[in-house]
Amino acid sequence: MIQEKLCRSANFRKTCEGQENCELLQSVDSEEPAGSLRNDENFDHYILLQPERKPPISCKDILTKSAGATSGLYKISVDNKMVTVYCEMVLHGGGFTFIPKSAVKNGTLPNLVSQLFTNYYEVLLYIQKKDGSQTYTHIQQQEEQSQKPLVVLQNTNSGPDITYSNPDNSFMLDYLYLRTSSFSGGFLSNNVKVKYKPGIPLSYFAFFPNHREQKPSTYHNSNLVYETRGVAVDWRNTGIMVLTERIPSNFFYLTEVHYGGGGCYTSSDRWLVANGTAIGLR
């Protein structure tokens, strides 16, 4: 966390014969112990007015204003509410805002995605492994679709001009939706092509906080072939181990991956080596 030490008040000496003119303080008279503030015939105590500082609105905003900011937990303002997010400040230029599950609830932060998702061509996903380790995957469109933006939505599968495939776990109500191109036959994960059949309508990730602890969909439960092959496995296999600070557990979502036409349907409650995904936007 970036902590700025501000000068909020001062003990000012009226005469400066061989002594310091003033003593700068980080607190005001209502907070400082009585012995620290001087208000006598030689000193006056002044409270310094601070300019109003707007809280940051994203991790990208923090990194822009403080180039040396490190990865970790920060507070940002979304819809006039302070939200604790995780900022990844190094990978792929940094400035990725990871969204806690508590922020995706009952539409309480309607501008969450539109505020955080300003670079429409990349998303950073962290995978929580069952052994406690974490890996990351940098998601982009394939080269031939590189000018086509990714789609990220909140609590809906309807974009501005089109309605996409409905997640099978949408009965959980709260979710984030990530769609890659259905025409390119794949997407890039850490610059590795994850392939699927082109032209299919089903080409999305959905991330559920599952606040009500509901049982996930049993779709395709009778055939767990996609727990050992297919898009979800190929994508996870591109993951690069996180060697620095790990993202807290409250940022990892129940994850549905659905790439029809021979790609896969699976959800993270079935995964053999991992159990959830965190999503970072920039």
Side-chain angles (χ1 to χ4, degrees):
M1 177 71 71
I2 301 173
Q3 297 183 357
E4 297 180 273
K5 294 184 177 180
L6 304 176
C7 177
R8 300 175 61 198
S9 65
N11 289 322
F12 183 76
R13 194 172 190 274
K14 296 177 181 178
T15 61
C16 52
E17 298 174 357
Q19 297 188 33
E20 296 291 333
N21 282 339
C22 64
E23 178 185 12
L24 303 180
L25 304 171
Q26 295 175 24
S27 56
V28 295
D29 53 1
S30 61
E31 303 169 349
E32 193 76 12
S36 299
L37 303 178
R38 306 178 187 182
N39 190 7
D40 55 31
E41 61 181 12
N42 293 319
F43 286 89
D44 283 330
H45 177 68
Y46 293 92
I47 295 177
L48 306 180
L49 297 178
Q50 298 292 334
E52 182 180 357
R53 296 193 173 199
K54 294 183 179 180
I57 60 172
S58 68
C59 297
K60 181 180 178 181
D61 184 28
I62 294 171
L63 191 60
T64 299
K65 295 175 180 176
S66 301
T70 57
S71 299
L73 297 174
Y74 292 80
K75 287 186 179 295
I76 66 170
S77 177
V78 182
D79 291 313
N80 296 315
K81 298 177 182 178
M82 297 306 294
V83 180
T84 299
V85 299
Y86 184 88
C87 294
E88 170 49 60
M89 298 303 205
V90 177
L91 296 175
H92 296 278
F96 286 93
T97 304
F98 281 84
I99 302 169
K101 292 190 293 184
S102 58
V104 183
K105 189 173 184 180
N106 299 328
T108 54
L109 300 174
N111 295 306
L112 178 69
V113 168
S114 61
Q115 178 174 313
L116 300 181
F117 190 46
T118 59
N119 182 336
Y120 306 124
Y121 302 98
E122 56 183 342
V123 169
L124 194 61
L125 301 179
Y126 268 49
I127 301 168
Q128 178 66 57
K129 308 293 282 295
K130 290 185 177 180
D131 63 6
S133 64
Q134 294 176 2
T135 59
Y136 71 86
T137 60
H138 182 237
I139 305 300
Q140 298 171 291
Q141 303 280 32
Q142 283 199 139
E143 292 90 340
E144 60 269 27
Q145 293 286 318
S146 61
Q147 299 305 309
K148 186 177 180 63
L150 297 167
V151 175
V152 178
L153 304 169
Q154 180 182 0
N155 297 337
T156 183
N157 60 313
S158 295
D161 304 311
I162 188 173
T163 297
Y164 302 104
S165 304
N166 192 45
D168 284 86
N169 288 288
S170 61
F171 61 86
M172 294 182 180
L173 302 180
D174 302 312
Y175 62 94
L176 296 171
Y177 189 89
L178 167 63
R179 181 177 172 85
T180 60
S181 174
S182 61
F183 300 103
S184 63
F187 58 84
L188 294 179
S189 178
N190 291 334
N191 288 320
V192 177
K193 290 184 179 181
V194 178
K195 298 179 181 180
Y196 48 86
K197 186 176 180 180
I200 59 175
L202 300 168
S203 52
Y204 66 84
F205 290 73
F207 309 93
F208 298 88
N210 197 10
H211 297 301
R212 303 164 190 82
E213 298 185 357
Q214 295 170 279
K215 185 177 180 180
S217 169
T218 59
Y219 177 71
H220 221 279
N221 212 20
S222 61
N223 184 359
L224 300 180
V225 60
Y226 296 125
E227 306 315 314
T228 56
R229 65 176 176 86
V231 171
V233 174
D234 294 343
W235 156 64
R236 292 198 304 271
N237 285 343
T238 69
I240 298 174
M241 189 69 67
V242 176
L243 300 177
T244 55
E245 183 177 356
R246 296 175 183 174
I247 297 180
S249 60
N250 61 307
F251 286 80
F252 287 90
Y253 294 74
L254 171 73
T255 307
E256 174 182 329
V257 184
H258 202 171
Y259 283 80
C264 79
Y265 171 87
T266 184
S267 55
S268 57
D269 59 301
R270 309 176 188 178
W271 293 354
L272 301 179
V273 297
N275 51 22
T277 312
I279 178 170
L281 306 178
R282 180 168 67 182

